[in-house]
PDB file of all heavy atoms in Angstrom:
ATOM      1  N   GLY A  29      52.081  60.393 -20.501  1.00  0.00           N
ATOM      2  CA  GLY A  29      52.676  61.072 -21.554  1.00  0.00           C
ATOM      3  C   GLY A  29      54.129  60.697 -21.990  1.00  0.00           C
ATOM      4  O   GLY A  29      54.534  61.141 -23.072  1.00  0.00           O
ATOM      5  N   SER A  30      54.710  59.917 -21.109  1.00  0.00           N
ATOM      6  CA  SER A  30      56.129  59.485 -21.477  1.00  0.00           C
ATOM      7  C   SER A  30      56.105  58.450 -22.609  1.00  0.00           C
ATOM      8  O   SER A  30      57.165  58.307 -23.257  1.00  0.00           O
ATOM      9  CB  SER A  30      56.865  58.936 -20.304  1.00  0.00           C
ATOM     10  OG  SER A  30      56.149  57.927 -19.742  1.00  0.00           O
ATOM     11  N   HIS A  31      55.015  57.664 -22.720  1.00  0.00           N
ATOM     12  CA  HIS A  31      55.016  56.713 -23.862  1.00  0.00           C
ATOM     13  C   HIS A  31      53.519  56.317 -23.913  1.00  0.00           C
ATOM     14  O   HIS A  31      52.670  56.707 -23.136  1.00  0.00           O
ATOM     15  CB  HIS A  31      55.737  55.396 -23.533  1.00  0.00           C
ATOM     16  CG  HIS A  31      56.124  54.583 -24.591  1.00  0.00           C
ATOM     17  ND1 HIS A  31      56.685  55.178 -25.799  1.00  0.00           N
ATOM     18  CD2 HIS A  31      55.946  53.358 -25.099  1.00  0.00           C
ATOM     19  CE1 HIS A  31      56.829  54.098 -26.684  1.00  0.00           C
ATOM     20  NE2 HIS A  31      56.390  52.977 -26.295  1.00  0.00           N
ATOM     21  N   GLY A  32      53.197  55.659 -25.075  1.00  0.00           N
ATOM     22  CA  GLY A  32      51.762  55.229 -25.408  1.00  0.00           C
ATOM     23  C   GLY A  32      51.590  54.533 -26.656  1.00  0.00           C
ATOM     24  O   GLY A  32      52.609  54.390 -27.408  1.00  0.00           O
ATOM     25  N   SER A  33      50.473  54.007 -26.928  1.00  0.00           N
ATOM     26  CA  SER A  33      50.137  53.347 -28.056  1.00  0.00           C
ATOM     27  C   SER A  33      48.703  53.275 -28.462  1.00  0.00           C
ATOM     28  O   SER A  33      47.864  53.107 -27.494  1.00  0.00           O
ATOM     29  CB  SER A  33      50.559  51.834 -27.944  1.00  0.00           C
ATOM     30  OG  SER A  33      50.157  51.069 -29.054  1.00  0.00           O
ATOM     31  N   THR A  34      48.240  53.699 -29.564  1.00  0.00           N
ATOM     32  CA  THR A  34      46.779  53.764 -29.806  1.00  0.00           C
ATOM     33  C   THR A  34      46.157  52.342 -29.759  1.00  0.00           C
ATOM     34  O   THR A  34      45.045  52.232 -29.107  1.00  0.00           O
ATOM     35  CB  THR A  34      46.654  54.233 -31.331  1.00  0.00           C
ATOM     36  OG1 THR A  34      47.062  55.532 -31.423  1.00  0.00           O
ATOM     37  CG2 THR A  34      45.123  54.169 -31.752  1.00  0.00           C
ATOM     38  N   PHE A  35      46.918  51.313 -30.231  1.00  0.00           N
ATOM     39  CA  PHE A  35      46.177  49.967 -30.301  1.00  0.00           C
ATOM     40  C   PHE A  35      46.817  49.115 -29.121  1.00  0.00           C
ATOM     41  O   PHE A  35      46.255  47.863 -28.855  1.00  0.00           O
ATOM     42  CB  PHE A  35      46.564  49.260 -31.654  1.00  0.00           C
ATOM     43  CG  PHE A  35      45.895  49.940 -32.797  1.00  0.00           C
ATOM     44  CD1 PHE A  35      46.654  50.701 -33.719  1.00  0.00           C
ATOM     45  CD2 PHE A  35      44.498  49.820 -33.040  1.00  0.00           C
ATOM     46  CE1 PHE A  35      46.036  51.325 -34.778  1.00  0.00           C
ATOM     47  CE2 PHE A  35      44.000  50.542 -34.168  1.00  0.00           C
ATOM     48  CZ  PHE A  35      44.648  51.325 -35.023  1.00  0.00           C
ATOM     49  N   GLY A  36      47.755  49.517 -28.453  1.00  0.00           N
ATOM     50  CA  GLY A  36      48.378  48.708 -27.474  1.00  0.00           C
ATOM     51  C   GLY A  36      47.491  48.198 -26.310  1.00  0.00           C
ATOM     52  O   GLY A  36      46.759  49.096 -25.674  1.00  0.00           O
ATOM     53  N   GLY A  37      47.366  47.025 -26.020  1.00  0.00           N
ATOM     54  CA  GLY A  37      46.536  46.622 -24.890  1.00  0.00           C
ATOM     55  C   GLY A  37      45.081  46.581 -25.217  1.00  0.00           C
ATOM     56  O   GLY A  37      44.154  46.670 -24.466  1.00  0.00           O
ATOM     57  N   ASN A  38      44.654  46.468 -26.619  1.00  0.00           N
ATOM     58  CA  ASN A  38      43.210  46.563 -26.976  1.00  0.00           C
ATOM     59  C   ASN A  38      42.393  45.367 -26.476  1.00  0.00           C
ATOM     60  O   ASN A  38      43.144  44.255 -26.193  1.00  0.00           O
ATOM     61  CB  ASN A  38      43.146  46.675 -28.505  1.00  0.00           C
ATOM     62  CG  ASN A  38      43.651  45.527 -29.275  1.00  0.00           C
ATOM     63  OD1 ASN A  38      43.081  44.382 -29.262  1.00  0.00           O
ATOM     64  ND2 ASN A  38      44.983  45.562 -29.826  1.00  0.00           N
ATOM     65  N   PRO A  39      41.157  45.439 -26.389  1.00  0.00           N
ATOM     66  CA  PRO A  39      40.293  44.288 -25.825  1.00  0.00           C
ATOM     67  C   PRO A  39      40.523  42.945 -26.501  1.00  0.00           C
ATOM     68  O   PRO A  39      40.578  41.884 -25.767  1.00  0.00           O
ATOM     69  CB  PRO A  39      38.882  44.879 -26.001  1.00  0.00           C
ATOM     70  CG  PRO A  39      39.034  46.326 -25.881  1.00  0.00           C
ATOM     71  CD  PRO A  39      40.320  46.547 -26.696  1.00  0.00           C
ATOM     72  N   LEU A  40      40.666  42.971 -27.873  1.00  0.00           N
ATOM     73  CA  LEU A  40      41.003  41.695 -28.556  1.00  0.00           C
ATOM     74  C   LEU A  40      42.209  41.028 -28.128  1.00  0.00           C
ATOM     75  O   LEU A  40      42.222  39.797 -27.862  1.00  0.00           O
ATOM     76  CB  LEU A  40      40.885  41.954 -30.132  1.00  0.00           C
ATOM     77  CG  LEU A  40      39.496  42.349 -30.646  1.00  0.00           C
ATOM     78  CD1 LEU A  40      39.794  42.787 -32.105  1.00  0.00           C
ATOM     79  CD2 LEU A  40      38.492  41.309 -30.585  1.00  0.00           C
ATOM     80  N   GLY A  41      43.305  41.807 -27.995  1.00  0.00           N
ATOM     81  CA  GLY A  41      44.531  41.336 -27.762  1.00  0.00           C
ATOM     82  C   GLY A  41      44.642  40.746 -26.289  1.00  0.00           C
ATOM     83  O   GLY A  41      45.157  39.697 -26.080  1.00  0.00           O
ATOM     84  N   MET A  42      44.066  41.462 -25.353  1.00  0.00           N
ATOM     85  CA  MET A  42      44.017  41.068 -24.006  1.00  0.00           C
ATOM     86  C   MET A  42      43.139  39.777 -23.821  1.00  0.00           C
ATOM     87  O   MET A  42      43.470  38.988 -23.027  1.00  0.00           O
ATOM     88  CB  MET A  42      43.387  42.203 -23.193  1.00  0.00           C
ATOM     89  CG  MET A  42      44.388  43.500 -23.219  1.00  0.00           C
ATOM     90  SD  MET A  42      46.068  43.193 -22.538  1.00  0.00           S
ATOM     91  CE  MET A  42      46.963  42.926 -24.006  1.00  0.00           C
ATOM     92  N   ALA A  43      42.116  39.779 -24.589  1.00  0.00           N
ATOM     93  CA  ALA A  43      41.280  38.482 -24.421  1.00  0.00           C
ATOM     94  C   ALA A  43      42.003  37.212 -24.857  1.00  0.00           C
ATOM     95  O   ALA A  43      42.022  36.135 -24.121  1.00  0.00           O
ATOM     96  CB  ALA A  43      40.170  38.536 -25.264  1.00  0.00           C
ATOM     97  N   VAL A  44      42.901  37.289 -25.942  1.00  0.00           N
ATOM     98  CA  VAL A  44      43.633  36.187 -26.319  1.00  0.00           C
ATOM     99  C   VAL A  44      44.909  36.046 -25.331  1.00  0.00           C
ATOM    100  O   VAL A  44      45.113  34.994 -25.061  1.00  0.00           O
ATOM    101  CB  VAL A  44      44.147  36.616 -27.741  1.00  0.00           C
ATOM    102  CG1 VAL A  44      45.360  35.630 -28.129  1.00  0.00           C
ATOM    103  CG2 VAL A  44      43.146  36.572 -28.754  1.00  0.00           C
ATOM    104  N   ALA A  45      45.504  37.011 -24.892  1.00  0.00           N
ATOM    105  CA  ALA A  45      46.671  36.966 -24.042  1.00  0.00           C
ATOM    106  C   ALA A  45      46.323  36.235 -22.684  1.00  0.00           C
ATOM    107  O   ALA A  45      47.084  35.478 -22.131  1.00  0.00           O
ATOM    108  CB  ALA A  45      47.278  38.401 -23.760  1.00  0.00           C
ATOM    109  N   GLU A  46      45.031  36.589 -22.297  1.00  0.00           N
ATOM    110  CA  GLU A  46      44.689  35.921 -20.910  1.00  0.00           C
ATOM    111  C   GLU A  46      44.613  34.297 -21.102  1.00  0.00           C
ATOM    112  O   GLU A  46      44.982  33.516 -20.207  1.00  0.00           O
ATOM    113  CB  GLU A  46      43.257  36.463 -20.593  1.00  0.00           C
ATOM    114  CG  GLU A  46      42.733  35.898 -19.187  1.00  0.00           C
ATOM    115  CD  GLU A  46      41.458  36.493 -18.812  1.00  0.00           C
ATOM    116  OE1 GLU A  46      40.942  37.262 -19.461  1.00  0.00           O
ATOM    117  OE2 GLU A  46      40.998  35.937 -17.700  1.00  0.00           O
ATOM    118  N   VAL A  47      44.081  33.907 -22.287  1.00  0.00           N
ATOM    119  CA  VAL A  47      44.036  32.535 -22.677  1.00  0.00           C
ATOM    120  C   VAL A  47      45.370  31.839 -22.666  1.00  0.00           C
ATOM    121  O   VAL A  47      45.618  30.793 -22.139  1.00  0.00           O
ATOM    122  CB  VAL A  47      43.203  32.135 -23.947  1.00  0.00           C
ATOM    123  CG1 VAL A  47      43.261  30.666 -24.209  1.00  0.00           C
ATOM    124  CG2 VAL A  47      41.838  32.631 -23.596  1.00  0.00           C
ATOM    125  N   VAL A  48      46.370  32.524 -23.445  1.00  0.00           N
ATOM    126  CA  VAL A  48      47.729  32.012 -23.503  1.00  0.00           C
ATOM    127  C   VAL A  48      48.320  31.782 -22.210  1.00  0.00           C
ATOM    128  O   VAL A  48      48.840  30.739 -21.822  1.00  0.00           O
ATOM    129  CB  VAL A  48      48.500  33.020 -24.361  1.00  0.00           C
ATOM    130  CG1 VAL A  48      49.947  32.660 -24.237  1.00  0.00           C
ATOM    131  CG2 VAL A  48      48.065  33.022 -25.827  1.00  0.00           C
ATOM    132  N   LEU A  49      48.219  32.835 -21.338  1.00  0.00           N
ATOM    133  CA  LEU A  49      48.801  32.829 -20.023  1.00  0.00           C
ATOM    134  C   LEU A  49      48.150  31.673 -19.102  1.00  0.00           C
ATOM    135  O   LEU A  49      48.810  31.039 -18.326  1.00  0.00           O
ATOM    136  CB  LEU A  49      48.629  34.104 -19.380  1.00  0.00           C
ATOM    137  CG  LEU A  49      49.573  35.301 -19.907  1.00  0.00           C
ATOM    138  CD1 LEU A  49      49.253  36.580 -19.290  1.00  0.00           C
ATOM    139  CD2 LEU A  49      50.952  34.989 -19.896  1.00  0.00           C
ATOM    140  N   ASN A  50      46.870  31.506 -19.271  1.00  0.00           N
ATOM    141  CA  ASN A  50      46.165  30.460 -18.423  1.00  0.00           C
ATOM    142  C   ASN A  50      46.746  29.095 -18.912  1.00  0.00           C
ATOM    143  O   ASN A  50      46.776  28.181 -17.976  1.00  0.00           O
ATOM    144  CB  ASN A  50      44.664  30.520 -18.810  1.00  0.00           C
ATOM    145  CG  ASN A  50      43.899  31.690 -18.082  1.00  0.00           C
ATOM    146  OD1 ASN A  50      44.612  32.129 -17.268  1.00  0.00           O
ATOM    147  ND2 ASN A  50      42.644  31.877 -18.573  1.00  0.00           N
ATOM    148  N   HIS A  51      47.153  28.904 -19.968  1.00  0.00           N
ATOM    149  CA  HIS A  51      47.812  27.613 -20.417  1.00  0.00           C
ATOM    150  C   HIS A  51      49.285  27.675 -20.072  1.00  0.00           C
ATOM    151  O   HIS A  51      49.757  26.662 -19.365  1.00  0.00           O
ATOM    152  CB  HIS A  51      47.665  27.519 -21.857  1.00  0.00           C
ATOM    153  CG  HIS A  51      46.321  26.949 -22.443  1.00  0.00           C
ATOM    154  ND1 HIS A  51      45.248  27.879 -22.436  1.00  0.00           N
ATOM    155  CD2 HIS A  51      45.917  25.894 -22.753  1.00  0.00           C
ATOM    156  CE1 HIS A  51      44.268  27.201 -22.865  1.00  0.00           C
ATOM    157  NE2 HIS A  51      44.635  25.996 -22.984  1.00  0.00           N
ATOM    158  N   VAL A  52      50.070  28.610 -20.417  1.00  0.00           N
ATOM    159  CA  VAL A  52      51.528  28.680 -20.233  1.00  0.00           C
ATOM    160  C   VAL A  52      51.947  28.685 -18.956  1.00  0.00           C
ATOM    161  O   VAL A  52      52.977  28.042 -18.580  1.00  0.00           O
ATOM    162  CB  VAL A  52      52.038  29.834 -21.151  1.00  0.00           C
ATOM    163  CG1 VAL A  52      53.687  29.871 -20.938  1.00  0.00           C
ATOM    164  CG2 VAL A  52      51.836  29.556 -22.608  1.00  0.00           C
ATOM    165  N   LEU A  53      51.329  29.390 -18.106  1.00  0.00           N
ATOM    166  CA  LEU A  53      51.709  29.458 -16.722  1.00  0.00           C
ATOM    167  C   LEU A  53      51.487  28.190 -15.749  1.00  0.00           C
ATOM    168  O   LEU A  53      51.948  28.062 -14.685  1.00  0.00           O
ATOM    169  CB  LEU A  53      50.883  30.667 -15.973  1.00  0.00           C
ATOM    170  CG  LEU A  53      51.475  32.103 -16.449  1.00  0.00           C
ATOM    171  CD1 LEU A  53      50.564  33.112 -16.010  1.00  0.00           C
ATOM    172  CD2 LEU A  53      52.879  32.243 -16.122  1.00  0.00           C
ATOM    173  N   LYS A  54      50.885  27.239 -16.354  1.00  0.00           N
ATOM    174  CA  LYS A  54      50.615  25.966 -15.530  1.00  0.00           C
ATOM    175  C   LYS A  54      52.010  25.178 -15.516  1.00  0.00           C
ATOM    176  O   LYS A  54      52.679  25.130 -16.553  1.00  0.00           O
ATOM    177  CB  LYS A  54      49.648  25.115 -16.273  1.00  0.00           C
ATOM    178  CG  LYS A  54      48.218  25.668 -16.203  1.00  0.00           C
ATOM    179  CD  LYS A  54      47.128  24.925 -16.897  1.00  0.00           C
ATOM    180  CE  LYS A  54      45.839  25.264 -16.711  1.00  0.00           C
ATOM    181  NZ  LYS A  54      44.875  24.606 -17.577  1.00  0.00           N
ATOM    182  N   ASP A  55      52.333  24.633 -14.409  1.00  0.00           N
ATOM    183  CA  ASP A  55      53.651  23.881 -14.270  1.00  0.00           C
ATOM    184  C   ASP A  55      53.768  22.761 -15.224  1.00  0.00           C
ATOM    185  O   ASP A  55      54.790  22.531 -15.729  1.00  0.00           O
ATOM    186  CB  ASP A  55      53.737  23.422 -12.755  1.00  0.00           C
ATOM    187  CG  ASP A  55      54.042  24.563 -11.774  1.00  0.00           C
ATOM    188  OD1 ASP A  55      54.497  25.652 -12.271  1.00  0.00           O
ATOM    189  OD2 ASP A  55      53.752  24.406 -10.637  1.00  0.00           O
ATOM    190  N   GLU A  56      52.482  22.137 -15.351  1.00  0.00           N
ATOM    191  CA  GLU A  56      52.604  20.833 -16.153  1.00  0.00           C
ATOM    192  C   GLU A  56      52.839  21.195 -17.706  1.00  0.00           C
ATOM    193  O   GLU A  56      53.489  20.417 -18.483  1.00  0.00           O
ATOM    194  CB  GLU A  56      51.290  20.079 -16.105  1.00  0.00           C
ATOM    195  CG  GLU A  56      49.955  20.842 -16.339  1.00  0.00           C
ATOM    196  CD  GLU A  56      49.402  21.395 -15.045  1.00  0.00           C
ATOM    197  OE1 GLU A  56      50.033  21.769 -14.170  1.00  0.00           O
ATOM    198  OE2 GLU A  56      48.222  21.448 -15.053  1.00  0.00           O
ATOM    199  N   PHE A  57      52.418  22.451 -18.031  1.00  0.00           N
ATOM    200  CA  PHE A  57      52.629  22.922 -19.441  1.00  0.00           C
ATOM    201  C   PHE A  57      54.064  23.199 -19.613  1.00  0.00           C
ATOM    202  O   PHE A  57      54.675  22.687 -20.650  1.00  0.00           O
ATOM    203  CB  PHE A  57      51.839  24.243 -19.696  1.00  0.00           C
ATOM    204  CG  PHE A  57      51.897  24.590 -21.163  1.00  0.00           C
ATOM    205  CD1 PHE A  57      50.917  24.290 -22.018  1.00  0.00           C
ATOM    206  CD2 PHE A  57      53.050  25.420 -21.546  1.00  0.00           C
ATOM    207  CE1 PHE A  57      50.984  24.728 -23.450  1.00  0.00           C
ATOM    208  CE2 PHE A  57      53.035  25.901 -22.911  1.00  0.00           C
ATOM    209  CZ  PHE A  57      52.136  25.650 -23.814  1.00  0.00           C
ATOM    210  N   LEU A  58      54.663  23.777 -18.712  1.00  0.00           N
ATOM    211  CA  LEU A  58      56.218  24.120 -18.920  1.00  0.00           C
ATOM    212  C   LEU A  58      56.969  22.816 -18.646  1.00  0.00           C
ATOM    213  O   LEU A  58      57.997  22.547 -19.394  1.00  0.00           O
ATOM    214  CB  LEU A  58      56.647  25.109 -17.871  1.00  0.00           C
ATOM    215  CG  LEU A  58      55.980  26.552 -18.069  1.00  0.00           C
ATOM    216  CD1 LEU A  58      56.312  27.426 -16.836  1.00  0.00           C
ATOM    217  CD2 LEU A  58      56.430  27.183 -19.372  1.00  0.00           C
ATOM    218  N   ASP A  59      56.626  21.853 -17.898  1.00  0.00           N
ATOM    219  CA  ASP A  59      57.281  20.520 -17.734  1.00  0.00           C
ATOM    220  C   ASP A  59      57.169  19.970 -19.022  1.00  0.00           C
ATOM    221  O   ASP A  59      58.244  19.264 -19.513  1.00  0.00           O
ATOM    222  CB  ASP A  59      56.543  19.725 -16.701  1.00  0.00           C
ATOM    223  CG  ASP A  59      56.836  20.214 -15.221  1.00  0.00           C
ATOM    224  OD1 ASP A  59      57.662  21.020 -15.124  1.00  0.00           O
ATOM    225  OD2 ASP A  59      55.999  19.780 -14.371  1.00  0.00           O
ATOM    226  N   HIS A  60      56.075  19.997 -19.640  1.00  0.00           N
ATOM    227  CA  HIS A  60      55.851  19.323 -21.075  1.00  0.00           C
ATOM    228  C   HIS A  60      56.831  19.954 -22.092  1.00  0.00           C
ATOM    229  O   HIS A  60      57.517  19.172 -22.884  1.00  0.00           O
ATOM    230  CB  HIS A  60      54.436  19.526 -21.510  1.00  0.00           C
ATOM    231  CG  HIS A  60      54.165  19.051 -22.884  1.00  0.00           C
ATOM    232  ND1 HIS A  60      54.028  17.597 -23.190  1.00  0.00           N
ATOM    233  CD2 HIS A  60      54.161  19.583 -24.086  1.00  0.00           C
ATOM    234  CE1 HIS A  60      53.790  17.523 -24.353  1.00  0.00           C
ATOM    235  NE2 HIS A  60      53.909  18.668 -25.002  1.00  0.00           N
ATOM    236  N   VAL A  61      56.915  21.327 -22.123  1.00  0.00           N
ATOM    237  CA  VAL A  61      57.890  21.976 -22.982  1.00  0.00           C
ATOM    238  C   VAL A  61      59.216  21.336 -22.829  1.00  0.00           C
ATOM    239  O   VAL A  61      60.089  21.119 -23.745  1.00  0.00           O
ATOM    240  CB  VAL A  61      57.881  23.405 -22.879  1.00  0.00           C
ATOM    241  CG1 VAL A  61      58.879  24.082 -23.602  1.00  0.00           C
ATOM    242  CG2 VAL A  61      56.501  24.010 -23.294  1.00  0.00           C
ATOM    243  N   ARG A  62      59.682  21.293 -21.582  1.00  0.00           N
ATOM    244  CA  ARG A  62      61.100  20.821 -21.312  1.00  0.00           C
ATOM    245  C   ARG A  62      61.210  19.357 -21.610  1.00  0.00           C
ATOM    246  O   ARG A  62      62.312  19.054 -22.180  1.00  0.00           O
ATOM    247  CB  ARG A  62      61.382  21.010 -19.787  1.00  0.00           C
ATOM    248  CG  ARG A  62      61.468  22.530 -19.312  1.00  0.00           C
ATOM    249  CD  ARG A  62      62.071  22.684 -17.912  1.00  0.00           C
ATOM    250  NE  ARG A  62      61.213  22.132 -16.991  1.00  0.00           N
ATOM    251  CZ  ARG A  62      60.279  22.699 -16.269  1.00  0.00           C
ATOM    252  NH1 ARG A  62      59.988  24.063 -16.610  1.00  0.00           N
ATOM    253  NH2 ARG A  62      59.552  22.294 -15.386  1.00  0.00           N
ATOM    254  N   PHE A  63      60.286  18.515 -21.428  1.00  0.00           N
ATOM    255  CA  PHE A  63      60.402  17.250 -21.760  1.00  0.00           C
ATOM    256  C   PHE A  63      60.501  16.942 -23.247  1.00  0.00           C
ATOM    257  O   PHE A  63      61.348  16.178 -23.729  1.00  0.00           O
ATOM    258  CB  PHE A  63      59.169  16.429 -21.145  1.00  0.00           C
ATOM    259  CG  PHE A  63      58.968  14.995 -21.614  1.00  0.00           C
ATOM    260  CD1 PHE A  63      59.708  14.032 -20.966  1.00  0.00           C
ATOM    261  CD2 PHE A  63      58.064  14.579 -22.704  1.00  0.00           C
ATOM    262  CE1 PHE A  63      59.646  12.639 -21.450  1.00  0.00           C
ATOM    263  CE2 PHE A  63      58.132  13.202 -23.062  1.00  0.00           C
ATOM    264  CZ  PHE A  63      58.834  12.387 -22.387  1.00  0.00           C
ATOM    265  N   ILE A  64      59.454  17.519 -24.037  1.00  0.00           N
ATOM    266  CA  ILE A  64      59.530  17.386 -25.434  1.00  0.00           C
ATOM    267  C   ILE A  64      60.755  18.012 -26.018  1.00  0.00           C
ATOM    268  O   ILE A  64      61.474  17.376 -27.034  1.00  0.00           O
ATOM    269  CB  ILE A  64      58.287  18.018 -26.029  1.00  0.00           C
ATOM    270  CG1 ILE A  64      57.039  17.233 -25.496  1.00  0.00           C
ATOM    271  CG2 ILE A  64      58.297  18.007 -27.586  1.00  0.00           C
ATOM    272  CD1 ILE A  64      56.967  15.789 -26.062  1.00  0.00           C
ATOM    273  N   GLY A  65      61.183  19.151 -25.585  1.00  0.00           N
ATOM    274  CA  GLY A  65      62.451  19.760 -26.071  1.00  0.00           C
ATOM    275  C   GLY A  65      63.599  18.895 -25.877  1.00  0.00           C
ATOM    276  O   GLY A  65      64.462  18.829 -26.711  1.00  0.00           O
ATOM    277  N   TYR A  66      63.864  18.290 -24.627  1.00  0.00           N
ATOM    278  CA  TYR A  66      64.822  17.459 -24.424  1.00  0.00           C
ATOM    279  C   TYR A  66      64.807  16.327 -25.380  1.00  0.00           C
ATOM    280  O   TYR A  66      65.851  15.919 -25.992  1.00  0.00           O
ATOM    281  CB  TYR A  66      64.869  16.983 -22.988  1.00  0.00           C
ATOM    282  CG  TYR A  66      65.783  15.834 -22.768  1.00  0.00           C
ATOM    283  CD1 TYR A  66      67.235  16.049 -22.534  1.00  0.00           C
ATOM    284  CD2 TYR A  66      65.395  14.445 -22.740  1.00  0.00           C
ATOM    285  CE1 TYR A  66      68.091  15.053 -22.235  1.00  0.00           C
ATOM    286  CE2 TYR A  66      66.306  13.430 -22.450  1.00  0.00           C
ATOM    287  CZ  TYR A  66      67.501  13.761 -22.211  1.00  0.00           C
ATOM    288  OH  TYR A  66      68.504  12.687 -22.101  1.00  0.00           O
ATOM    289  N   ASN A  67      63.672  15.632 -25.557  1.00  0.00           N
ATOM    290  CA  ASN A  67      63.582  14.435 -26.507  1.00  0.00           C
ATOM    291  C   ASN A  67      63.896  14.833 -27.948  1.00  0.00           C
ATOM    292  O   ASN A  67      64.476  13.972 -28.632  1.00  0.00           O
ATOM    293  CB  ASN A  67      62.342  13.763 -26.370  1.00  0.00           C
ATOM    294  CG  ASN A  67      62.247  12.919 -25.041  1.00  0.00           C
ATOM    295  OD1 ASN A  67      62.776  11.900 -24.908  1.00  0.00           O
ATOM    296  ND2 ASN A  67      61.700  13.379 -23.976  1.00  0.00           N
ATOM    297  N   LEU A  68      63.290  15.972 -28.394  1.00  0.00           N
ATOM    298  CA  LEU A  68      63.552  16.457 -29.771  1.00  0.00           C
ATOM    299  C   LEU A  68      65.065  16.609 -29.954  1.00  0.00           C
ATOM    300  O   LEU A  68      65.571  16.164 -30.936  1.00  0.00           O
ATOM    301  CB  LEU A  68      62.720  17.714 -30.068  1.00  0.00           C
ATOM    302  CG  LEU A  68      62.940  18.273 -31.462  1.00  0.00           C
ATOM    303  CD1 LEU A  68      62.733  17.252 -32.567  1.00  0.00           C
ATOM    304  CD2 LEU A  68      61.993  19.387 -31.579  1.00  0.00           C
ATOM    305  N   ARG A  69      65.659  17.442 -29.000  1.00  0.00           N
ATOM    306  CA  ARG A  69      67.137  17.612 -29.193  1.00  0.00           C
ATOM    307  C   ARG A  69      67.875  16.316 -29.254  1.00  0.00           C
ATOM    308  O   ARG A  69      68.908  16.150 -29.920  1.00  0.00           O
ATOM    309  CB  ARG A  69      67.552  18.546 -28.084  1.00  0.00           C
ATOM    310  CG  ARG A  69      67.071  19.922 -28.125  1.00  0.00           C
ATOM    311  CD  ARG A  69      67.825  20.925 -27.312  1.00  0.00           C
ATOM    312  NE  ARG A  69      67.821  20.435 -25.901  1.00  0.00           N
ATOM    313  CZ  ARG A  69      67.002  20.655 -25.095  1.00  0.00           C
ATOM    314  NH1 ARG A  69      65.804  21.322 -25.383  1.00  0.00           N
ATOM    315  NH2 ARG A  69      67.105  20.278 -23.665  1.00  0.00           N
ATOM    316  N   LYS A  70      67.600  15.335 -28.320  1.00  0.00           N
ATOM    317  CA  LYS A  70      68.266  14.083 -28.166  1.00  0.00           C
ATOM    318  C   LYS A  70      68.091  13.266 -29.471  1.00  0.00           C
ATOM    319  O   LYS A  70      69.176  12.781 -30.011  1.00  0.00           O
ATOM    320  CB  LYS A  70      67.715  13.238 -27.101  1.00  0.00           C
ATOM    321  CG  LYS A  70      68.509  12.071 -26.751  1.00  0.00           C
ATOM    322  CD  LYS A  70      67.954  11.304 -25.581  1.00  0.00           C
ATOM    323  CE  LYS A  70      68.955  10.110 -25.152  1.00  0.00           C
ATOM    324  NZ  LYS A  70      69.105   9.201 -26.257  1.00  0.00           N
ATOM    325  N   LYS A  71      66.892  13.266 -29.963  1.00  0.00           N
ATOM    326  CA  LYS A  71      66.748  12.483 -31.234  1.00  0.00           C
ATOM    327  C   LYS A  71      67.271  13.158 -32.508  1.00  0.00           C
ATOM    328  O   LYS A  71      67.875  12.532 -33.364  1.00  0.00           O
ATOM    329  CB  LYS A  71      65.259  12.276 -31.548  1.00  0.00           C
ATOM    330  CG  LYS A  71      64.604  11.320 -30.528  1.00  0.00           C
ATOM    331  CD  LYS A  71      63.161  10.857 -30.942  1.00  0.00           C
ATOM    332  CE  LYS A  71      63.121   9.902 -31.928  1.00  0.00           C
ATOM    333  NZ  LYS A  71      63.779   8.611 -31.625  1.00  0.00           N
ATOM    334  N   LEU A  72      67.423  14.456 -32.497  1.00  0.00           N
ATOM    335  CA  LEU A  72      68.172  15.240 -33.604  1.00  0.00           C
ATOM    336  C   LEU A  72      69.625  14.754 -33.559  1.00  0.00           C
ATOM    337  O   LEU A  72      70.200  14.528 -34.564  1.00  0.00           O
ATOM    338  CB  LEU A  72      67.843  16.727 -33.374  1.00  0.00           C
ATOM    339  CG  LEU A  72      66.582  17.186 -33.831  1.00  0.00           C
ATOM    340  CD1 LEU A  72      66.447  18.738 -33.465  1.00  0.00           C
ATOM    341  CD2 LEU A  72      66.475  17.225 -35.495  1.00  0.00           C
TER     342      LEU A  72
END
């Protein structure tokens, strides 16, 4: 009762979020973000 949301955590959103996390939480994914980010900043 202290907080709530009618649509929060609905099945559609959770199905998508699980896929996002399955990708983003991989070490190689985050390594890639750091690598590409560094190179983009350097070339800029």
Side-chain angles (χ1 to χ4, degrees):
S30 58
H31 200 53
S33 170
T34 297
F35 297 106
N38 64 76
L40 292 173
M42 294 300 95
V44 171
E46 183 178 357
V47 172
V48 169
L49 292 175
N50 285 343
H51 283 76
V52 172
L53 288 171
K54 291 178 180 177
D55 289 339
E56 57 267 31
F57 185 95
L58 295 172
D59 289 343
H60 176 80
V61 173
R62 293 192 293 270
F63 173 79
I64 295 294
Y66 168 80
N67 281 281
L68 176 54
R69 295 194 305 276
K70 187 175 188 302
K71 290 190 75 65
L72 283 168

